[in-house]
Amino acid sequence: MSSFRRFRRLRQSEAIRSFVRENELHASDFIYPVFAVAGKNMKVPVKSMPGICQYSLDRIDEEIDRVVAAGIPAILIFGIPDHRDDVASGAYDHHGVTQEAIRHIKERYPDLIIIADVCLCEYTSTGHCGMVDKNGYVMNDETLPLLTKTAVSMAEAGADIVAPSDMMDGRVAAIREGLDKAGFMLTPILSYSAKFASAYYGPFRDAAESAPKFGDRKSYQMDPANSREAMREIEDDLEEGADMIIVKPAMAYLDIMKEARRRFEVPLIAYNVSGEYAMIKAAAQNGWIDEKRITLETLTGMKRAGADRIITYHAIEAAGWLLE
């Protein structure tokens, strides 16, 4: 009689491997980021993110049609305005690019879930996520009313979910209070609770045209070395009224995701960010990796770590590969 276990019995064929598989990806797991840009007849490729483009309102259906056809249930919308100022007025403008994009998409695709990113960096003249004082310091409390106005304006436009990504302290409580006062008690908050000051965001700043004009975001986004602090951030956001949480980035932060899954019984979203996407795309274009296998393995790792849903630029391609 054998003295060892034969684990390979359950690996001998694809049929058996599939039968005992612990985690599976589905198109319904994905949330796809979409970039709406002010202007007309615009489809602007993002050079550092192959396959990703900015779309003006009159062409954005080209992208949304692909999302719907792939069976992806939700998008995360970002707006790139044609005007920026010190008070980020475009972020909460009733007719701002993001608000108009939300109205347009919701009217044509009523069953598609629209998650509106709530931040000021695309709209400020400094490129920072909040108001800046004369010394260049990003002010916390002075920023909260503008974030609240932004979230309310996006809910008014038809966003199903608002997602504050700024990392100001107390912003979830402020936004929750603002939404409730405006009559949007049922609008959920998906908070970027554990958002790290990461180098993996580089390509996104090309896509959203949101790079800071000076300094960096280390005074408000989290130190990549800290994990216990991430749990405190998540706990605090939930106490303030967040309904769901995001861990961002994903690949280098699977430990954060795993611990968050263990501690918190709320929907957990992984953000597979632009740098992670760009690395796979670049390596694949050089013929160094099998793009399909690497992508699906990477996304499966996020789900295995505890993610209920995954925000990913791979979503449309991955959904197609899952049908093969």
Side-chain angles (χ1 to χ4, degrees):
M1 179 174 165
S2 174
S3 61
F4 55 85
R5 296 179 182 176
R6 295 194 178 271
F7 292 101
R8 290 180 59 188
R9 291 186 186 123
L10 301 183
R11 301 172 189 160
Q12 61 184 297
S13 69
E14 175 55 29
I16 290 178
R17 289 191 296 273
S18 178
F19 185 67
V20 300
R21 190 159 289 145
E22 298 175 24
N23 295 280
E24 293 192 47
L25 289 172
H26 305 279
S28 59
D29 293 325
F30 301 143
I31 300 164
Y32 186 64
V34 172
F35 297 95
V37 65
K40 291 185 178 180
N41 193 30
M42 295 180 68
K43 179 181 177 181
V44 184
V46 180
K47 292 181 180 180
S48 55
M49 299 175 69
I52 303 299
C53 298
Q54 302 170 339
Y55 290 87
S56 56
L57 201 61
D58 56 339
R59 296 192 62 176
I60 203 166
D61 289 0
E62 298 172 27
E63 188 77 316
I64 306 302
D65 283 344
R66 295 202 307 141
V67 173
V68 172
I72 296 164
I75 62 169
L76 176 62
I77 188 88
F78 298 92
I80 300 97
D82 56 5
H83 168 74
R84 294 172 172 83
D85 56 40
D86 291 344
V87 293
S89 60
Y92 42 87
D93 185 344
H94 181 75
H95 295 293
V97 61
T98 308
Q99 288 81 355
E100 292 293 357
I102 291 169
R103 291 188 190 94
H104 175 92
I105 295 167
K106 183 53 70 175
E107 180 180 352
R108 288 161 177 76
Y109 310 87
D111 295 328
L112 183 67
I113 296 170
I114 301 176
I115 304 169
D117 182 84
V118 177
C119 196
L120 305 184
C121 58
E122 299 105 302
Y123 307 94
T124 58
S125 51
T126 64
H128 276 288
C129 301
M131 298 299 93
V132 177
D133 69 13
K134 62 182 181 180
N135 298 315
Y137 182 76
V138 177
M139 299 181 288
N140 193 95
D141 295 13
E142 293 81 354
T143 298
L144 301 184
L146 302 187
L147 293 169
T148 300
K149 288 171 65 175
T150 300
V152 170
S153 74
M154 291 176 175
E156 289 173 342
D160 298 287
I161 299 167
V162 296
S165 62
D166 55 283
M167 290 300 287
M168 298 296 116
D169 293 332
R171 90 272 205 207
V172 172
I175 289 170
R176 183 72 272 160
E177 182 180 2
L179 288 170
D180 291 353
K181 284 184 177 178
F184 296 101
M185 289 80 71
L186 297 181
T187 299
I189 295 176
L190 168 59
S191 180
Y192 289 69
S193 297
K195 180 178 179 180
F196 292 83
S198 173
Y200 283 100
Y201 303 151
F204 173 88
R205 292 169 184 171
D206 294 337
E209 300 179 15
S210 62
K213 298 296 187 294
F214 60 87
D216 54 41
R217 294 176 176 152
K218 293 179 181 179
S219 72
Y220 45 103
Q221 294 177 0
M222 287 187 58
D223 187 332
N226 293 357
S227 56
R228 295 190 299 271
E229 183 185 5
M231 298 305 110
R232 297 199 302 273
E233 285 274 11
I234 293 170
E235 184 175 28
D236 203 54
D237 280 3
L238 292 174
E239 288 177 354
E240 290 183 16
D243 301 282
M244 301 172 279
I245 57 176
I246 292 174
V247 173
K248 180 183 181 183
M251 285 172 61
Y253 297 84
L254 295 181
D255 61 318
I256 306 297
M257 207 172 308
K258 190 73 171 180
E259 182 64 12
R261 176 74 293 151
R262 187 183 71 81
R263 292 199 190 192
F264 304 106
E265 295 294 331
V266 297
L268 174 62
I269 316 296
Y271 198 142
N272 177 211
V273 300
S274 59
E276 298 166 348
Y277 172 86
M279 289 191 300
I280 288 178
K281 283 290 183 181
Q285 289 179 350
N286 278 283
W288 297 337
I289 60 170
D290 181 325
E291 181 180 0
K292 173 184 171 182
R293 289 187 62 193
I294 288 282
T295 299
L296 295 180
E297 182 177 340
T298 298
L299 297 174
T300 298
M302 296 169 195
K303 193 165 185 183
R304 189 182 65 245
D308 296 301
R309 297 290 182 268
I310 303 169
I311 301 167
T312 179
Y313 303 95
H314 295 290
I316 293 175
E317 288 179 309
W321 290 330
L322 292 172
L323 294 176
E324 294 177 358

